Amino acid sequence: MRKLLPFLVATSMALPLVAEAQPGKKSLKQAPKKASSSSAFQGNSRESQLKYQLSNALRAAQSGQYEAAANQLFSLARRPELAAERPQIKYILGTMLMELKLNQTAAFQFVDVIRMNHPKYSKQAIEKLSIVADTLGDDTILNYAISRVDVNDIPPNLKDMIYYRLGEIKLRNREYPKAQQLFNNVGPGSSYYFQALYNKGLSELEANQPQIAVGTYQKMLAARGRAPVTDVNRVEAQLALARALYQKQDWEASIEAYSQIPRDTVMWHDAVFEQSWAMLRAARFRSALSNFQTLHSAYYEDFYMPESLLLRSIVYLYICKYDEMEKVLSLFEKTYGPVRTKIGDFLSSTKDPMMFYAEVEKAYLMKNTDKTATLRLPYIVLKNVLDQGDVKRSMHYLEKLASEKARVDANYAFKASALGQYSLKIIANRSKNTKIAIGDMVKAHLLNMRVELRDLYEQAGFIRYEMINGRKESIKKKIAGKDIGTGQIDENVDRQFYIQNGYQYYPFQGEYWLDEVGNYHYLGKQSCE
């Protein structure tokens, strides 16, 4: 900022200043021609005063008086006499607002400058808009800024961010080879490097290149090898590697990769569920059932995971445990039948996007602060919606806007100024539009959940049909005297075996303890002939 402003101040200082009248001279009232000349002089004087004010505003900016400079520049930007200087004024106003951490208001100034197509300041405004959009995390502004970027015009210190954001756009547009190339351009020293590697692997998986994706995630994991085991980038790389191995259909390697996810991370629960699918595909039924004991414990009762119950019933089907199948299918219907009904009723009775947003906002408050809110939809549904990527990003953007509003409200003098009121108006409009957009996202996710539950109920019907057939065959075998004895695996192994190997072994009796979650081992035998 201080390197740019001396040139701008010098430029403004070169503008003609007010030509003050010499002492002793008086105005003469003679001919109409003289009156016209006086009017022209007054116009020139007013223009010179404005340019003098501009010089003062630039000096204030240079000296670090950002608030004073911003207020002056905001006033000057509206003057028609300074139309030629407006791109410069709006650009510097935007940089002042960035210094004041009012990025949303700054973004509007840069957008105005870009639309003016100024040969110098429009390019610089694109660069600044990219920075504030990245800080705010607003997809709309990001897409507007990044789509106008010429990488050749961007300073080296910003190129990694631009490559990363352009890669995101290509990934969303399903242009996977271009996305991979852009993510590959992000340097190892960049703060975007690990996220770029993650998204590069994701684009490779979307392009059905799991073997290449495995190498990408192994590279990411190796780069974080010295980080703590709970390091977010390290855990994300481990989970992504497990998913890539699953897509590659390397079930055993996938199971092992999932087992490396630490229990005290937010991703562990997802890892346990996804590992259960790999165990089913690898025919490791006892291991899968051990996982389900954890997944369906009371500690995870506010998680939306209807698929896990059906998967558990399928595992019981494979080992002919029909009574257990009946219990799980009944639990599925008891839990998700009302959920399905409430989602359908809410979608039928609600049309306004703001109503959808209001419902998810109450759940957001319940999740973070207020536990007393009354909800029309089950909390497990709204919690699942809040965890969706688009909703999460938009809620984060709303938090940024709320922080800016709080910053303006805390400065009473600035709030009372024309620029302060302008900032509050921008923030209010952006907040309203973002809430409407979130409402539309919530509605879309609820529609998807309704379709998903409908499909899962159909699958539950097929599974129940297979259960009935299995029971019928089991009864025939009992009549024929071919019934399988009921026992447990390892039932003859002495408990001392587990103690010697660092374990305590005791039967689960229906009460969950946090330190036991993840340590359950199913010992039942399969009952198939």
Side-chain angles (χ1 to χ4, degrees):
M1 172 62 67
R2 293 183 181 242
K3 290 182 180 179
L4 170 67
L5 288 174
F7 170 76
L8 300 174
V9 172
T11 303
S12 297
M13 291 295 290
L15 298 171
L17 301 179
V18 179
E20 295 184 0
Q22 296 179 8
K25 280 202 171 185
K26 297 182 180 179
S27 300
L28 299 177
K29 298 181 181 178
Q30 293 182 354
K33 184 176 181 179
K34 292 289 184 181
S36 175
S37 175
S38 175
S39 175
F41 175 80
Q42 290 174 3
N44 289 335
S45 175
R46 183 164 55 251
E47 185 177 346
S48 298
Q49 284 181 339
L50 290 172
K51 291 182 177 179
Y52 183 72
Q53 293 174 21
L54 176 57
S55 296
N56 286 337
L58 296 176
R59 288 193 194 96
Q62 183 188 20
S63 62
Q65 301 175 48
Y66 304 127
E67 185 178 325
N71 279 310
Q72 293 177 56
L73 291 166
F74 179 72
S75 176
L76 293 169
R78 297 181 169 187
R79 301 303 296 260
E81 299 91 337
L82 297 177
E85 290 82 8
R86 188 167 292 134
Q88 176 194 22
I89 294 171
K90 298 279 280 185
Y91 174 76
I92 301 173
L93 172 58
T95 59
M96 294 298 97
L97 291 165
M98 286 178 68
E99 294 290 344
L100 294 171
K101 292 183 170 47
L102 298 177
N103 291 303
Q104 182 61 70
T105 311
F108 273 57
Q109 313 316 307
F110 297 133
V111 169
D112 286 345
V113 176
I114 293 169
R115 288 173 176 168
M116 293 173 188
N117 290 320
H118 190 274
K120 175 183 177 182
Y121 291 109
S122 291
K123 288 184 178 180
Q124 295 182 10
I126 290 173
E127 173 190 326
K128 295 293 185 183
L129 183 62
S130 301
I131 296 172
V132 297
D134 183 57
T135 303
L136 288 168
D138 177 39
D139 288 344
T140 303
I141 303 175
L142 269 173
N143 291 338
Y144 180 86
I146 299 300
S147 62
R148 285 160 175 77
V149 165
D150 183 350
V151 178
N152 297 320
D153 296 332
I154 297 298
N157 63 312
L158 295 178
K159 283 192 174 182
D160 286 330
M161 183 268 286
I162 297 299
Y163 284 133
Y164 173 70
R165 294 302 183 186
L166 283 170
E168 281 191 319
I169 292 173
K170 297 299 182 184
L171 180 58
R172 281 197 293 267
N173 293 338
R174 301 175 185 270
E175 300 177 52
Y176 303 125
K178 292 181 180 179
Q180 292 171 30
Q181 183 59 47
L182 287 163
F183 289 133
N184 212 38
N185 289 337
V186 178
S190 170
S191 59
Y192 295 91
Y193 177 66
F194 294 107
Q195 198 60 36
L197 273 180
Y198 182 88
N199 283 346
K200 178 176 179 287
L202 185 60
S203 63
E204 290 160 352
L205 290 175
E206 292 286 357
N208 199 26
Q209 299 171 321
Q211 182 59 52
I212 300 175
V214 167
T216 298
Y217 291 130
Q218 286 174 338
K219 179 180 177 181
M220 182 178 174
L221 198 57
R224 300 300 294 176
R226 296 185 178 181
V229 292
T230 55
D231 173 74
V232 173
N233 287 320
R234 180 173 175 175
V235 176
E236 281 187 348
Q238 185 67 48
L239 185 57
L241 175 61
R243 289 169 174 169
L245 290 166
Y246 183 90
Q247 185 168 331
K248 189 187 169 188
Q249 299 187 7
D250 189 345
W251 314 126
E252 294 298 335
S254 176
I255 292 168
E256 178 59 28
Y258 278 121
S259 68
Q260 299 302 314
I261 303 295
R263 297 185 187 186
D264 50 348
T265 60
V266 294
M267 287 168 264
W268 183 68
H269 183 270
D270 288 341
V272 173
F273 173 58
E274 293 172 21
Q275 185 189 46
S276 302
W277 267 111
M279 289 171 172
L280 174 63
R281 300 296 294 271
R284 291 173 56 173
F285 303 131
R286 282 199 305 128
S287 298
L289 289 172
S290 300
N291 277 359
F292 289 130
Q293 188 71 11
T294 291
L295 288 171
H296 299 145
S297 70
Y299 292 102
Y300 300 115
E301 60 185 8
D302 59 350
F303 278 70
Y304 175 85
M305 45 182 183
E307 189 180 15
S308 68
L309 290 171
L310 294 190
L311 182 59
R312 186 173 187 172
S313 68
I314 291 171
V315 175
Y316 281 133
L317 176 64
Y318 273 110
I319 61 175
C320 304
K321 294 289 186 181
Y322 304 117
D323 289 342
E324 297 300 324
M325 275 187 74
E326 178 66 45
K327 293 176 185 177
V328 173
L329 290 173
S330 297
L331 179 61
F332 170 79
E333 293 166 352
K334 178 182 177 182
T335 304
Y336 291 100
V339 169
R340 183 186 181 191
T341 301
K342 288 184 178 180
I343 290 176
D345 292 345
F346 188 82
L347 287 169
S348 300
S349 62
T350 309
K351 305 301 178 185
D352 184 3
M354 288 299 289
M355 295 297 292
F356 286 94
Y357 170 77
E359 189 70 6
V360 83
E361 183 186 37
K362 288 188 289 185
Y364 182 78
L365 292 174
M366 287 182 67
K367 184 178 179 181
N368 294 281
T369 53
D370 183 15
K371 304 295 183 183
T372 62
T374 303
L375 300 173
R376 293 173 60 191
L377 286 169
Y379 178 71
I380 60 171
V381 170
L382 295 170
K383 181 177 177 293
N384 180 266
V385 170
L386 282 169
D387 287 336
Q388 301 303 314
D390 54 351
V391 176
K392 188 181 291 186
R393 285 193 303 273
S394 297
M395 294 297 288
H396 181 66
Y397 173 53
L398 272 184
E399 290 179 357
K400 295 278 189 179
L401 293 177
S403 297
E404 284 199 23
K405 183 179 184 301
R407 198 171 287 116
V408 174
D409 289 338
N411 188 336
Y412 299 112
F414 183 77
K415 181 180 179 181
S417 68
L419 179 56
Q421 291 300 305
Y422 170 75
S423 298
L424 289 175
K425 183 178 179 181
I426 287 176
I427 293 169
N429 286 336
R430 288 301 301 152
S431 296
K432 179 182 177 182
N433 291 336
T434 303
K435 289 175 181 178
I436 291 173
I438 293 174
D440 290 333
M441 295 174 196
V442 172
K443 182 178 180 180
H445 287 302
L446 290 175
L447 287 169
N448 289 337
M449 292 171 79
R450 183 172 68 175
V451 171
E452 178 192 36
L453 285 173
R454 182 194 65 198
D455 293 343
L456 290 176
Y457 259 80
E458 288 182 3
Q459 293 179 36
F462 291 133
I463 294 169
R464 190 176 288 279
Y465 173 79
E466 293 295 335
M467 179 189 71
I468 294 170
N469 276 345
R471 273 181 167 166
K472 182 173 69 175
E473 293 300 319
S474 178
I475 292 172
K476 288 181 179 178
K477 290 172 185 175
K478 283 184 180 180
I479 295 173
K482 296 180 180 180
D483 189 28
I484 301 295
T486 59
Q488 288 189 333
I489 296 171
D490 300 340
E491 63 182 356
N492 297 321
V493 177
D494 186 78
R495 183 179 177 184
Q496 190 65 28
F497 168 82
Y498 295 95
I499 296 174
Q500 290 172 355
N501 287 277
Y503 294 96
Q504 291 188 22
Y505 171 63
Y506 49 91
F508 175 74
Q509 296 180 337
E511 188 172 353
Y512 290 97
W513 292 85
L514 187 59
D515 60 343
E516 296 174 352
V517 171
N519 291 320
Y520 302 113
H521 295 277
Y522 182 77
L523 300 180
K525 288 184 177 179
Q526 62 92 14
S527 300
C528 301
E529 177 65 37

